[in-house]
Amino acid sequence: MAKIIVKFQRYFRRKPVRFFTFIILYLTAGSVVFLHASFEGEQVVSNNDRTLVEGTSHGPDVKELGIAPLSRVFKEAPESPSTHRRYGPWLKTPGKELPERIKQGEFGGTWNRALKGRNMREQEECRAKYIGCYTDDTRQRALRGVSFFDYKKMTVFRCQDNCAERGYMYAGLEFGAECYCGHRIKALNVSESECNMECKGEKGNFCGGVNRLSIYRLELTQESARRYGSAIFRGCFHRPDNLSLALPVSSIMKNMSVDKCVDLCTEKEYPLAVLGGTVCHCAFPTTYFTLHEREDEQLCSQKCIVEEFESCGTSDYFIVYQTQVQDNRCMDRRFLPARSKQLIALASFPGAGNTWARHLIELATGFYTGSYYFDGSLYNKGFKGERDHWRNGRTVCIKTHESGRKEIEDFDSAVLIIRNPYKALMAEFNRKYGGHVGFASQAHWKGKEWPEFVNNYAPWWATHTLDWLKYGKNVLVIHFEDLKKDLFIQLKRMINLLGLPILADRLLCVEGQKDGNFKRSGLRKLEYDPYTEDMRKMISNYIRTVDAALKLKNLTGVPEDYYPR
């Protein structure tokens, strides 16, 4: 035996490559044997394991160990066809019982937990109801709103979120990577087995099939815009005095419909489609037709001839929709032609709408805003003043969240934006854990992060305002809620402070582009109030302090809705 081993040693010394090859083959063979052994045995959940999953173990109380009962985490979902569909066609067998081994848990706890965990995530995050699989036609789409594709990262929630953000009632997924939005489904319902293509960005979930749509009905919040297809409903308005100047393009339509008028104005590149009975008008918002004085919708309730549920207005009261055509009168932006000697702050507590205010100011003035910080994501979204040093003087105002005396006294004047602390804290918490337009997860809201955040940030909300009122020079206070309600008036006040001319048509253009790229959708609103009684008492005291400080400066106190608790 010793002689054989010595011969092997001499052989491999002369041929080291063969030695390493032998080692690799040996390890490969061992791995194959190991994997085969792991798959060969069937994984059956024992009675003890099953009682643990069901949360009925008679051992130590899981609460004593600091672990939530597993039954709460892996709560069984109702066995509906739509639930089965989401996890694969093999789970759905119409007219037949599920295989006995699946019902008895033969596939083990891992698969069952995956199903239950996914179902919990859908219940918590996806405020949408799956309604079925539908046919689709490339020549005549089932959902005729906006659409977008992503052949690498498409998920069910991403499609739902994009459609909800634009105010649509339905979201549909097709071909594993295509997302379609709409207000009506113009297609036939088909068998669930035909929607069998996995989402490109989410294994285990199905995103339609070939010419087949998996459609969800979205449960939108009241903040979502009312739409018809891709057009935004602006309201009912009285016929303008000078019709030819206010509405330069007109076309008589015997079979008037919202679709036809919107399509006409889109084709002619106008942002407003105005329906007046049997006449379709197209226009820009101007001083002749500002859209500031809305009328009761009952005055415009005359139904369209070819649409049972849509109104087409009358000869005296017009229905107005905003098309997808971009109003370019306020889209040009540049740096100041001469460096400003005045440093004007756009100050706010984080989460109070500073980025949105910057967007509005840039559109209204045509000049870039700067920042005390640098945020690459904002720069990439078009805020080109991000890269400039804040003392450079090429921007009209400087974003800042600073609240120290030294930092405040660096500025010659300021626009101070104040927002309801309950809303501002939640917005900043979402930004911190989810990004500018993302959302914090349920784990963050229900974990230790949220209480710690409130305890640290709520006092700052108060001291930020108090410091700017005390140390700031020439401070203009703007309440975020007033800016949302009276955009035209509040923007005028801000532009006056900046010392720039007010262009009415440019401001009217801003109203049509006001949301920008940094508005969270209403799909993932929390279904509960995250504030505890102690938190509310603390925040209410800060609100009263800020209210008193504002009134001492002969300013309007905080809005009444700051005291909702």
Side-chain angles (χ1 to χ4, degrees):
M1 185 68 181
K3 290 182 179 180
I4 295 174
I5 294 173
V6 170
K7 285 182 179 180
F8 266 107
Q9 286 176 342
R10 288 175 180 172
Y11 176 76
F12 284 121
R13 281 174 188 168
R14 292 195 300 269
K15 305 286 186 180
V17 174
R18 293 180 183 178
F19 174 73
F20 288 114
T21 304
F22 175 78
I23 293 297
I24 291 169
L25 289 173
Y26 176 78
L27 293 173
T28 303
S31 299
V32 170
V33 172
F34 176 76
L35 288 172
H36 177 72
S38 64
F39 281 113
E40 190 175 21
E42 291 184 343
Q43 297 178 352
V44 182
V45 181
S46 68
N47 290 334
N48 291 336
D49 290 339
R50 193 173 291 118
T51 55
L52 181 60
V53 170
E54 293 169 359
T56 57
S57 170
H58 299 289
D61 188 346
V62 289
K63 291 181 180 179
E64 294 176 8
L65 300 175
I67 303 171
L70 290 177
S71 60
R72 207 177 300 163
V73 181
F74 302 123
K75 185 178 178 181
E76 273 290 349
E79 290 193 355
S80 64
S82 60
T83 305
H84 292 158
R85 182 206 64 80
R86 291 178 186 164
Y87 306 122
W90 62 274
L91 271 174
K92 178 174 172 57
T93 48
K96 296 179 182 179
E97 289 293 321
L98 288 175
E100 192 66 20
R101 59 178 184 159
I102 294 178
K103 292 199 292 185
Q104 291 178 358
E106 185 180 319
F107 284 88
T110 303
W111 176 252
N112 290 329
R113 287 194 295 271
L115 298 190
K116 295 169 189 174
R118 182 183 294 276
N119 194 60
M120 278 298 292
R121 178 168 60 81
E122 288 180 350
Q123 289 176 2
E124 291 178 354
E125 296 184 354
C126 299
R127 312 280 166 79
K129 181 182 179 181
Y130 176 74
I131 60 171
C133 182
Y134 289 79
T135 60
D136 195 26
D137 189 335
T138 54
R139 290 170 296 181
Q140 198 169 20
R141 291 291 181 187
L143 296 174
R144 300 178 186 178
V146 299
S147 60
F148 76 99
F149 309 147
D150 190 331
Y151 291 96
K152 290 186 177 179
K153 298 180 180 179
M154 179 61 73
T155 66
V156 171
F157 177 75
R158 187 178 176 201
C159 179
Q160 292 172 355
D161 201 37
N162 274 272
C163 293
E165 186 175 357
R166 291 160 176 78
Y168 288 100
M169 292 176 62
Y170 298 100
L173 295 107
E174 181 174 346
F175 208 64
E178 301 174 3
C179 175
Y180 297 89
C181 311
H183 280 290
R184 296 179 182 176
I185 304 171
K186 299 184 178 181
L188 297 174
N189 190 215
V190 295
S191 169
E192 294 298 315
S193 61
E194 296 184 36
C195 286
N196 54 11
M197 296 188 73
E198 273 196 344
C199 305
K200 297 294 184 181
E202 188 176 22
K203 291 184 178 180
N205 247 358
F206 289 87
C207 288
V210 178
N211 293 331
R212 295 294 182 268
L213 278 169
S214 299
I215 297 183
Y216 295 81
R217 181 181 176 87
L218 306 175
E219 298 176 12
L220 304 176
T221 65
Q222 293 180 351
E223 293 180 10
S224 298
R226 179 173 157 191
R227 292 176 177 257
Y228 185 92
S230 60
I232 301 171
F233 179 77
R234 295 295 298 271
C236 174
F237 300 89
H238 192 274
R239 176 192 175 102
D241 293 331
N242 195 325
L243 192 65
S244 58
L245 284 176
L247 309 173
V249 173
S250 299
S251 177
I252 297 173
M253 294 182 176
K254 292 182 179 179
N255 294 323
M256 170 70 85
S257 70
V258 178
D259 269 342
K260 287 182 179 179
C261 189
V262 168
D263 287 346
L264 173 69
C265 296
T266 301
E267 182 182 343
K268 294 186 177 295
E269 297 187 349
Y270 282 92
L272 297 182
V274 184
L275 292 82
T278 57
V279 182
C280 174
H281 307 276
C282 305
F284 287 95
T286 64
T287 52
Y288 298 107
F289 195 51
T290 62
L291 304 185
H292 287 165
E293 298 177 4
R294 291 179 65 158
E295 303 285 351
D296 188 332
E297 283 188 40
Q298 292 298 318
L299 298 171
C300 293
S301 60
Q302 180 175 304
K303 299 299 179 186
C304 302
I305 295 172
V306 296
E307 289 183 318
E308 182 181 353
F309 302 105
E310 299 299 332
S311 299
C312 278
T314 68
S315 57
D316 291 321
Y317 293 93
F318 296 165
I319 288 285
V320 180
Y321 284 88
Q322 183 173 321
T323 71
Q324 288 290 293
V325 175
Q326 183 169 275
D327 189 345
N328 289 318
R329 295 175 299 168
C330 60
M331 299 308 292
D332 60 301
R333 286 168 289 174
R334 62 191 187 280
F335 290 103
L336 291 172
R339 295 183 188 274
S340 174
K341 295 179 181 178
Q342 295 274 316
L343 286 176
I344 303 174
L346 181 63
S348 74
F349 174 77
N354 199 304
T355 300
W356 181 53
R358 289 179 68 186
H359 165 76
L360 297 175
I361 290 170
E362 290 194 2
L363 294 187
T365 65
F367 295 110
Y368 288 121
T369 59
S371 178
Y372 197 81
Y373 322 98
F374 172 72
D375 187 328
S377 66
L378 292 180
Y379 179 83
N380 293 333
K381 287 288 185 180
F383 291 96
K384 301 304 180 186
E386 282 287 314
R387 276 193 174 175
D388 267 32
H389 188 274
W390 65 278
R391 286 186 178 274
N392 199 302
R394 295 203 304 161
T395 54
V396 289
C397 60
I398 309 298
K399 165 188 174 177
T400 179
H401 299 310
E402 302 301 309
S403 56
R405 178 174 181 173
K406 181 180 178 298
E407 288 80 4
I408 291 172
E409 290 180 345
D410 282 333
F411 293 95
D412 301 295
S413 55
V415 175
L416 175 60
I417 301 173
I418 304 174
R419 186 181 187 184
N420 184 326
Y422 292 101
K423 300 288 182 64
L425 289 168
M426 293 176 70
E428 176 59 11
F429 189 72
N430 275 321
R431 187 208 64 79
K432 186 174 181 180
Y433 290 101
H436 280 288
V437 291
F439 294 85
S441 68
Q442 291 290 332
H444 288 126
W445 287 106
K446 294 181 178 180
K448 65 178 182 180
E449 293 91 345
W450 172 242
E452 289 178 356
F453 178 87
V454 172
N455 287 333
N456 292 328
Y457 276 67
W460 182 19
W461 175 85
T463 58
H464 183 276
T465 299
L466 297 176
D467 283 356
W468 277 95
L469 292 175
K470 184 176 181 180
Y471 303 119
K473 293 169 280 188
N474 190 24
V475 177
L476 171 67
V477 173
I478 298 286
H479 291 285
F480 176 85
E481 294 74 20
D482 292 340
L483 187 58
K484 285 184 70 176
K485 191 189 306 179
D486 300 311
L487 182 69
F488 201 82
I489 294 170
Q490 300 302 327
L491 260 181
K492 276 186 175 181
R493 294 178 65 208
M494 294 162 76
I495 296 170
N496 270 328
L497 182 80
L498 298 174
L500 296 170
I502 297 171
L503 306 174
D505 282 355
R506 193 166 184 115
L507 287 180
L508 290 167
C509 169
V510 174
E511 289 185 311
Q513 321 283 337
K514 63 183 181 181
D515 286 342
N517 295 319
F518 288 90
K519 184 175 184 294
R520 288 183 178 88
S521 75
L523 188 64
R524 289 181 65 181
K525 298 290 184 184
L526 282 179
E527 291 182 339
Y528 62 92
D529 184 351
Y531 293 98
T532 64
E533 188 63 32
D534 289 340
M535 291 177 184
R536 289 194 286 270
K537 287 179 181 177
M538 174 179 64
I539 294 171
S540 292
N541 286 332
Y542 293 137
I543 291 172
R544 282 189 283 271
T545 303
V546 169
D547 184 59
L550 288 169
K551 289 175 179 176
L552 278 175
K553 292 279 187 178
N554 295 319
L555 299 170
T556 305
V558 300
E560 290 184 4
D561 64 359
Y562 280 28
Y563 295 98
R565 313 299 190 215

